[in-house]
Amino acid sequence: MRGMLSSLAALAAVAALSGPPGQASAQDSAPSLAISCGALGIELRLCKEGVEAWSAETGVEVEVVSTPNSSTERLALYQQLLAARAGDIDLFQVDVVWPGILADHFIDLAAYVPQAVEGHFATLIANNTVDGRLVALPWWTDAGVLYYRKDLLEKHGFAAPATWQEMTETAARIQAAERAAGNSDIWGYVFQGKAYEGLTCNALEWIDSFGGGTIVADDGSITVNNPRAEAALELAASWIGEIAPEGVLNYSEEEARGVFQSGNAVFMRNWPYAWALANSEESAIKGKAGVAALPKGGPEGSTTGTLGGWNLAVSKYSEHPELAAELAAFLTSKAEQKRRAIVSSYNPTFPALYADDEVLAANPFFGQLFETFSNAVARPSGATGDQYNRVSAEFWGAVHNVLSGQEPAEVALADLERGLMRISRRGRW
Ligand code: GLC
């Protein structure tokens, strides 16, 4: 069956129909593995190259199964497969906010490949440790950053903006001037405004940069209904149809990158992976983009960037957990992370690689923004544990309502607070 199905959705559908595998499930004579990888940009190709290098060394055949781009859809498919205890996928690429949700389905990698735990950012190892078990190895880390068109800023006499208010103003002015000069497709700002996990990441940045907290605090208290969060969301709502196209309400990472990379936006919020692609041969803006930390929410605010990133976990239902753990260790190793950083701007999870000359030559902003990467703001997945996805869905839903003009921020935040109270039984997660 494995060879025939290469989409995760098909696997999940089959697993849901057939239920948990019986004891008699056939052991292949020659062991083989299957790994789920993301496919944004050239992610899938990178995953395949890493896997092929390991296969060549070990002789073990590995199938690479691609997953939907939206992390929200990915999680739903993983949950279906894992609930059915399906062993079809041995290694799962998991988001930094999922260990608390999926931990029960994964083996303790510290017990299988202890050497692979060394040298990563300690915060990431802590993030992936649930009830004393290391359920995933860090593969790459992420933080939201601001991309800008160096050439357009220079042409119109602006510097990279220090505050969101300045970004709004600069975007509007350049957009107007460029349109007046005949560049009718240009927009000021693109970001991830669709109702999914990516919007949670964007909106957390706005709110955090205004000093409005992290939705739910580390102690579990619900803090999101506050005047700074309100001001942040009101400013973001003012962008829609003005400096950002209405369509941004349905953009995820790749749609935003498409617009920016084809030369039709002055600013973009995205993850570091967009850097290598913006500077690739196919890009209309090769050599014209700059990267900065995201702006502050006013002069009193702070620069920010939501912590993102992906990890590799091994399923408890795998028939070959030892082999799968070895593949996870290989793919998350320093050498492999260095390759991925150089070829395609994936941020390593080893602090040591931020001092590596080749990595820095390919990605100068890794050095300049080291603080942003090491102090990125975490979504409240630790405090809310296995409820995180519900919390995030309530949050992105409320934010989407504000952006689309259905509700003022004040109303949406008060409703959100009540919704989170219900999910958490009054702040006890
Ligand atoms: C990126 C981040 C991930 C986040 C996702 C949201 O892939 O690495 O952590 O959840 O974007 O779209």
Side-chain angles (χ1 to χ4, degrees):
M1 176 188 294
R2 249 180 209 164
M4 291 162 62
L5 295 169
S6 54
S7 113
L8 196 68
L11 283 175
V14 170
L17 287 177
S18 51
Q23 290 294 47
S25 74
Q27 285 271 349
D28 294 344
S29 42
S32 67
L33 298 174
I35 179 173
S36 81
C37 289
L40 263 77
I42 59 165
E43 202 180 349
L44 194 64
R45 192 191 93 197
L46 277 181
C47 174
K48 283 187 177 152
E49 287 168 355
V51 163
E52 277 159 17
W54 185 78
S55 286
E57 236 174 57
T58 59
V60 177
E61 196 189 307
V62 184
E63 184 188 356
V64 175
V65 178
S66 80
T67 56
N69 276 352
S70 158
S71 67
T72 301
E73 286 170 40
R74 234 183 252 184
L75 176 61
L77 289 174
Y78 283 11
Q79 285 176 314
Q80 277 180 49
L81 268 175
L82 292 167
R85 300 170 164 267
D88 306 72
I89 303 282
D90 301 280
L91 292 99
F92 285 88
Q93 177 182 323
V94 298
D95 200 335
V96 68
V97 285
W98 298 346
I101 302 175
L102 300 176
D104 288 350
H105 300 288
F106 298 143
I107 64 169
D108 177 5
L109 286 160
Y112 283 81
V113 282
Q115 78 288 357
V117 184
E118 304 298 314
H120 296 275
F121 283 112
T123 45
L124 296 180
I125 294 295
N127 180 79
N128 295 357
T129 304
V130 180
D131 297 333
R133 299 165 59 246
L134 181 69
V135 298
L137 284 169
W139 199 3
W140 74 91
T141 186
D142 255 347
V145 290
L146 184 74
Y147 290 81
Y148 58 92
R149 286 282 299 279
K150 278 188 307 204
D151 56 329
L152 291 180
L153 260 60
E154 202 171 295
K155 173 173 166 198
H156 296 281
F158 291 99
T163 64
W164 286 111
Q165 292 84 346
E166 230 178 281
M167 190 287 289
T168 308
E169 177 73 21
T170 305
R173 301 266 292 274
I174 298 181
Q175 178 183 297
E178 285 292 310
R179 286 191 184 179
N183 190 355
S184 58
D185 290 334
I186 192 98
W187 285 97
Y189 185 47
V190 290
F191 60 96
Q192 294 76 46
K194 174 173 149 180
Y196 80 121
E197 186 62 26
L199 178 55
T200 290
C201 297
N202 282 246
L204 173 61
E205 285 158 353
W206 307 330
I207 294 177
D208 179 54
S209 75
F210 273 75
T214 56
I215 313 165
V216 173
D218 288 348
D219 68 0
S221 48
I222 296 159
T223 58
V224 74
N225 186 14
N226 69 73
R228 293 180 180 184
E230 189 186 325
L233 295 190
E234 289 297 350
L235 180 62
S238 78
W239 298 331
I240 312 299
E242 297 294 326
I243 59 168
E246 295 272 351
V248 82
L249 295 174
N250 214 16
Y251 281 9
S252 61
E253 285 79 6
E254 287 291 85
E255 288 81 17
R257 182 172 73 81
V259 173
F260 185 72
Q261 196 171 305
S262 53
N264 292 330
V266 183
F267 294 110
M268 168 177 74
R269 183 272 179 207
N270 217 322
W271 308 100
Y273 85 100
W275 172 255
L277 296 163
N279 288 309
S280 64
E281 288 309 323
E282 306 88 84
S283 170
I285 54 157
K286 185 172 165 33
K288 294 180 178 165
V291 183
L294 288 167
K296 301 195 243 185
E300 309 294 304
S302 47
T303 59
T304 183
T306 293
L307 175 70
W310 293 85
N311 307 277
L312 278 176
V314 171
S315 166
K316 261 194 190 167
Y317 319 116
S318 164
E319 286 174 10
H320 309 291
E322 292 86 5
L323 265 186
E326 275 174 35
L327 175 55
F330 177 91
L331 291 174
T332 58
S333 68
K334 208 190 260 177
E336 180 62 7
Q337 290 203 17
K338 176 170 172 174
R339 179 183 77 87
R340 295 172 56 102
I342 294 171
V343 178
S344 54
S345 309
Y346 283 95
N347 281 65
T349 61
F350 292 94
L353 287 179
Y354 290 78
D356 183 288
D357 290 342
E358 288 166 278
V359 169
L360 290 175
N363 308 283
F365 69 100
F366 278 15
Q368 286 139 21
L369 298 185
F370 184 70
E371 285 303 305
T372 304
F373 295 123
S374 37
N375 297 316
V377 57
R379 284 162 275 174
S381 54
T384 61
D386 59 0
Q387 296 300 310
Y388 172 73
N389 196 47
R390 290 181 69 193
V391 169
S392 185
E394 292 276 326
F395 178 64
W396 81 57
V399 173
H400 201 266
N401 284 346
V402 176
L403 295 183
S404 58
Q406 288 175 54
E407 277 181 331
E410 196 186 349
V411 174
L413 288 174
D415 281 354
L416 173 62
E417 181 176 40
R418 276 191 293 276
L420 296 182
M421 280 290 186
R422 268 196 307 276
I423 295 178
S424 70
R425 301 181 310 278
R426 312 199 68 73
R428 293 191 310 276
W429 297 95

